[in-house]
Amino acid sequence: MKNKIDGSIYIEDLVEEVPESIEILLRYGIACIKCGAPIWGTLEENCKRVGLSDELYEKALSEINSFAK
């Protein structure tokens, strides 16, 4: 059974748990992960910071959960 990822997960934990999430986050404008700059906060905080709508936030979360183990 997969663990459900939610918006309260910290980015650094998300990347460790679901490495595939890096490419998903890049597509949604959260690019600091791959470029090496530190990124702080939760998935939800960072999605809001880049201006994702609720619909796109939910879509990104769904895509990430498709890879969660």
Side-chain angles (χ1 to χ4, degrees):
M1 180 179 208
K2 293 183 178 184
N3 294 323
K4 181 128 168 113
I5 301 293
D6 66 30
S8 67
I9 191 168
Y10 285 95
I11 294 292
E12 53 270 27
D13 294 334
L14 174 60
V15 171
E16 186 174 317
E17 284 185 40
V18 186
E20 299 89 350
S21 66
I22 294 170
E23 294 301 321
I24 296 167
L25 294 174
L26 286 171
R27 280 191 277 123
Y28 287 94
I30 302 173
C32 294
I33 298 162
K34 200 164 190 173
C35 71
I39 188 166
W40 312 108
T42 66
L43 174 60
E44 183 174 17
E45 290 168 343
N46 281 282
C47 286
K48 287 181 180 179
R49 182 180 56 79
V50 299
L52 287 187
S53 66
D54 290 342
E55 182 180 335
L56 286 177
Y57 165 69
E58 292 297 329
K59 184 176 179 189
L61 196 53
S62 176
E63 288 180 42
I64 289 167
N65 272 296
S66 72
F67 289 101
K69 297 175 184 156

